[in-house]
Amino acid sequence: MSLWLSLLFFGLPAFALVVGFHWVMPTLIAGGMAPFYAYFVGAGIPLAGMLMASLVAYCWEGNPLTWAALKVRFRLYRMDGKSWLWVVGILVLSLLGFGLASQVGSGLITTGIMPLPASLPAFLDPQSTVSPLLALDEAFGGLKGNWMALAAFGVLLFFNIIGEEFWWRGYILPRQELAFGKWTWVVHGVLWACFHVFKWWDIIALLPVTLALAFMVCRLKNTTPGIVVHFIFNGLGALGILAGVLGLGN
């Protein structure tokens, strides 16, 4: 997969998320929908579309629609001890890198170099003065006893992780390796970070994460460790939602 084709395959989902995040979500919120559910629709549809696109592209290559064949093409192999060590190491590195790079992003926001959207919901606003638990409570229209909130987060997390991993690392990455060789993880990691242009204030913070994960998957030739790291990294938000559902911190 050439650079131009890579830009197209990364750019189309990025554009869909920009529309979903900056047009669909605010429109739904203005219509009275709770912010998280508006985000669920605005981001969830493009992410689900990526999952469908990965399967369609897989079939267009002439591959049989069987789990056994899909596992081989998307390199969904079992985890061994070495893979788990990589997962732990990359997860720690990603969290540290994200934390340090976030400080750079925060500085750019504070100085006005990187402005934020005017009507950003508190749970998505890195400069919000509202406590994280209260921001989540407002995002769901009330969390205490609201188990549906946790279920909704789980559904969005599924499409987020599986949609991205099947499309990026399952379908695209092996094709990029044929074009970019040992530098594939750099090209892939940078493009994946830029895919998050719908939340441009997070790109700098995410770059260490996207590069580290891409390097691991390229090195192991296995998509599964990437799925595990991505799931843990993005799934940490479930802890705050669970605390709100249980009424902790109120």
Side-chain angles (χ1 to χ4, degrees), residues 118-183:
S119 57
L120 202 59
F123 83 105
L124 294 170
D125 187 349
Q127 286 198 315
S128 174
T129 57
V130 178
S131 70
L133 194 56
L134 181 57
L136 284 173
D137 191 72
E138 293 174 351
F140 286 95
L143 270 179
K144 189 173 183 179
N146 183 7
W147 290 99
M148 184 61 68
L150 197 61
F153 180 84
V155 172
L156 182 60
L157 182 65
F158 170 82
F159 285 115
N160 174 196
I161 305 306
I162 303 303
E164 287 198 57
E165 291 301 325
F166 273 32
W167 183 242
W168 303 140
R169 259 68 67 189
Y171 175 69
I172 293 176
L173 184 63
R175 293 186 58 185
Q176 287 182 317
E177 288 176 344
L178 299 176
F180 304 111
K182 66 179 182 179
W183 298 110

Side-chain angles (χ1 to χ4, degrees), residues 59-132:
C59 291
W60 276 353
E61 288 184 339
N63 299 300
L65 195 56
T66 65
W67 178 241
L70 184 72
K71 284 194 300 183
V72 173
R73 172 60 182 85
F74 284 5
R75 304 194 300 198
L76 300 168
Y77 304 127
R78 296 180 66 178
M79 298 271 291
D80 56 14
K82 178 182 177 181
S83 299
W84 282 110
L85 287 175
W86 270 92
V87 163
V88 173
I90 292 298
L91 186 59
V92 171
L93 183 64
S94 296
L95 291 170
L96 289 174
F98 181 82
L100 292 173
S102 292
Q103 300 305 310
V104 178
S106 296
L108 294 175
I109 294 171
T110 302
T111 57
I113 296 175
M114 190 164 56
L116 299 175
S119 57
L120 202 59
F123 83 105
L124 294 170
D125 187 349
Q127 286 198 315
S128 174
T129 57
V130 178
S131 70

